[in-house]
């Protein structure tokens, strides 16, 4: 899309929003159904595009992208009447005989900026929430997986009126041009660095933002865990999408006493889950610059397992690094690739201190059978969301608001939390006129003050 036409599309959507059509719940349900059918109908195209972009298999595309979108749409269509209902709240004697209520209302024209690593899910999931909440949407998917971006554009173009929902493709320049426009909400998924750029641009227009960012998510393996199951789940969560998952365990803190057992088990799991060699279930690194960034993190003498790379196919073998310290390159930034640094600790306080020396992570995973350690970690580490004796799967429960804290993000979504993210809750006090005691009006008298004092004694 030409840069000049961004202003036009925003104004087209603003005019459409002013018709109030999107406030009708049946309209919203119908649009969600259209999206559902369009995605279903275009599954072959969606599979092909993502495979060509970074070798994501049909299995992974269905289980980690499309099925989540279908679930989101179904849940929104079922719950929309409940989520959008006017809520009555109590008023209190001070305002008798009034009633008070909260009306959920859409924010208006929303911009959704997607990341590349789960291109369909991270683009359409916020869109579903925005539509359910009654907004119009401009989606700017990541430009890195070019074919998936094109597939999304095609599907949206064929099924939606651009005055209601459209896709704008492009990279940095186009996104920055979009950010100059006035939106009523910006929902951004991506890096902390770009999150700051978005936040600054949004501040110009006092536009509310949700920032779904990244960070270094720890996994803590305690002596008391079930090592076999724990490592199986950890390895799966780490190497899924070739480690290119915002909530992947970024690094592991293992109790010193079980370090060797952990390393052996992790190697076994990588092999048995078929992550160990180039195959159709193992994704490519998204582009050359990420491939280079990742390979620079590898320190040959610290590689316990893996370390093979192939620049031509952008392949990095699942790699375990041992004897890693907080000063190593791999601990200086979010890895976002198939490298698992293993650090050790001797006391749980030491593990907590290591995690807390870094910015608050998006996720945290704890493997333990000890309820006191569970309690301690949940109390002493702040993180966006996480799981105990599991990795990644908390994202699949839409009753759990999904988002970061501090450097890993602002706000959250999924399920009703997504609806709330794109909604303004308008508070109203509704008063009849048949009773209008003069007590609060001027001029004030000692008697009125006494009465007011009594009414307002809290
Ligand atoms: P990114 O920040 O590079 O890009 C995200 C989006 O911002 C893209 O659409 C891109 O076009 C745009 N963009 C890039 N540079 C820009 C600039 N200078 N000005 C304006 N817009 C710009 O992120 P990415 O590489 O696509 O994704 C990886 C990051 O996203 C990781 O940090 C990961 O943890 C995070 N992430 C977070 C979540 C989450 O749900 N919290 C999900 C996926 C990825």
């Amino acid at each position: 899309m030409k840069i000049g036409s961004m202003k036009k599309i925003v104004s087209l959507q603003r005019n459409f929003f002013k018709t109030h059509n999107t406030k009708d719940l049946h309209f919203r349900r119908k649009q969600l159904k259209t999206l559902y059918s369009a995605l279903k109908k275009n599954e072959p195209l969606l599979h092909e595009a993502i495979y060509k972009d970074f070798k994501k298999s049909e299995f992974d595309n269905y289980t980690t992208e499309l099925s989540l979108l279908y679930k989101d749409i179904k849940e929104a269509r079922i719950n929309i009447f409940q989520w959008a209902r006017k809520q009555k709240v109590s008023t209190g004697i001070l305002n008798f005989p009034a009633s008070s209520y909260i009306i959920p209302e859409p924010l208006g024209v929303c911009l959704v900026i997607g990341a590349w690593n789960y291109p369909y899910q991270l683009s359409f999931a916020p869109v579903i929430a925005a539509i359910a909440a009654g907004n119009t949407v401009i989606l700017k998917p990541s430009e890195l997986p070019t074919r998936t971006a094109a597939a999304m554009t095609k599907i949206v173009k064929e099924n939606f009126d651009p005055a209601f929902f459209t896709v704008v493709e492009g990279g940095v320049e186009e996104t920055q041009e979009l950010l100059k426009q006035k939106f009523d909400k910006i929902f951004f998924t991506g890096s902390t660095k770009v999150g700051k750029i978005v936040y600054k641009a949004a501040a110009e227009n006092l536009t509310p933002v949700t920032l779904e960012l990244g960070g270094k998510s720890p996994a803590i393996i305690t002596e008391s865990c079930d090592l076999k199951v724990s490592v199986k789940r950890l390895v799966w969560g780490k190497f899924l999408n070739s480690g290119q998952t915002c909530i992947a365990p970024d690094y592991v803190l293992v109790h010193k006493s079980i370090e060797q057992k952990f390393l052996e088990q992790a190697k076994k799991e990588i092999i048995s889950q078929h992550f160990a060699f180039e195959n159709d279930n193992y994704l490519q690194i998204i582009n050359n610059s990420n491939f280079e960034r990742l390979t620079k993190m590898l320190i040959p003498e610290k590689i316990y397992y893996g370390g093979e790379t192939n620049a031509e196919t952008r392949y990095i073998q699942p790699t375990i690094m041992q004897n890693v310290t907080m000063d190593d390159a791999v601990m200086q930034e979010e890895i976002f690739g198939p490298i698992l640094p293993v650090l050790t600790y001797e006391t749980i306080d030491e593990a907590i201190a290591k995690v807390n020396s870094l910015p608050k992570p998006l996720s945290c995973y704890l493997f333990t059978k000890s309820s006191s350690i569970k309690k301690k970690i949940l109390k002493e580490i702040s993180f966006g969301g996480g799981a105990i004796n599991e990795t990644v799967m908390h994202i699949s429960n839409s009753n759990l608001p999904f988002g970061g804290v501090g450097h890993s993000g602002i706000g959250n979504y999924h399920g009703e939390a997504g609806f709330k993210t794109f909604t303004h809750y308008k508070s109203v006090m509704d008063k009849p006129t048949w009773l209008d005691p003069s007590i609060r009006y001027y001029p004030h008298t000692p008697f009125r003050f006494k009465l007011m004092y009594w009414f307002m004694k809290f």
Side-chain angles (χ1 to χ4, degrees), residues 367-428:
F367 292 88
T368 192
K369 285 183 189 157
S370 155
S371 49
S372 62
I373 292 184
K374 206 188 285 185
K375 239 173 147 178
K376 190 170 166 70
I377 296 281
L378 293 179
K379 184 175 165 194
E380 296 184 20
I381 299 180
S382 177
F383 54 89
I388 292 160
N389 298 318
E390 181 56 286
T391 58
V392 174
M393 291 305 288
H394 60 293
I395 199 172
S396 64
N397 179 357
S398 49
N399 295 317
L400 292 172
F402 179 82
V405 56
H407 272 60
S408 56
I410 297 175
N412 50 45
Y413 73 131
H414 288 184
E416 190 174 5
F419 181 91
K420 286 181 176 168
T421 287
F422 286 96
T423 296
H424 166 62
Y425 287 85
K426 187 156 71 184
S427 297
V428 179

Side-chain angles (χ1 to χ4, degrees), residues 95-99 429-437 440:
N95 284 296
F96 179 81
S99 65
M429 183 180 284
D430 190 340
K431 232 178 199 180
T433 51
W434 58 265
L435 184 69
D436 190 30
R440 74 179 145 123

Side-chain angles (χ1 to χ4, degrees), residues 113-118 121-122 140-144 170-176 179 187-195 197-198 211-215 244-247 286 290 334 336 362 395 402-404 408-409 413-414:
I113 303 174
W116 59 264
N117 55 326
Y118 289 83
Q121 204 258 331
L122 297 172
K140 208 302 287 178
S142 170
E143 70 281 20
L144 299 190
V172 175
E173 197 191 347
E174 288 80 1
T175 315
Q176 293 201 339
L179 287 170
F187 188 105
F188 171 80
T189 304
S191 61
T192 303
K193 187 178 130 218
V194 179
I197 296 172
V198 172
L211 302 177
E212 295 283 341
L213 311 177
Q244 304 170 113
T245 303
C246 57
I247 49 169
I286 186 71
N290 270 293
E334 180 184 5
F336 221 56
L362 181 58
I395 199 172
F402 179 82
S408 56
Y413 73 131
H414 288 184

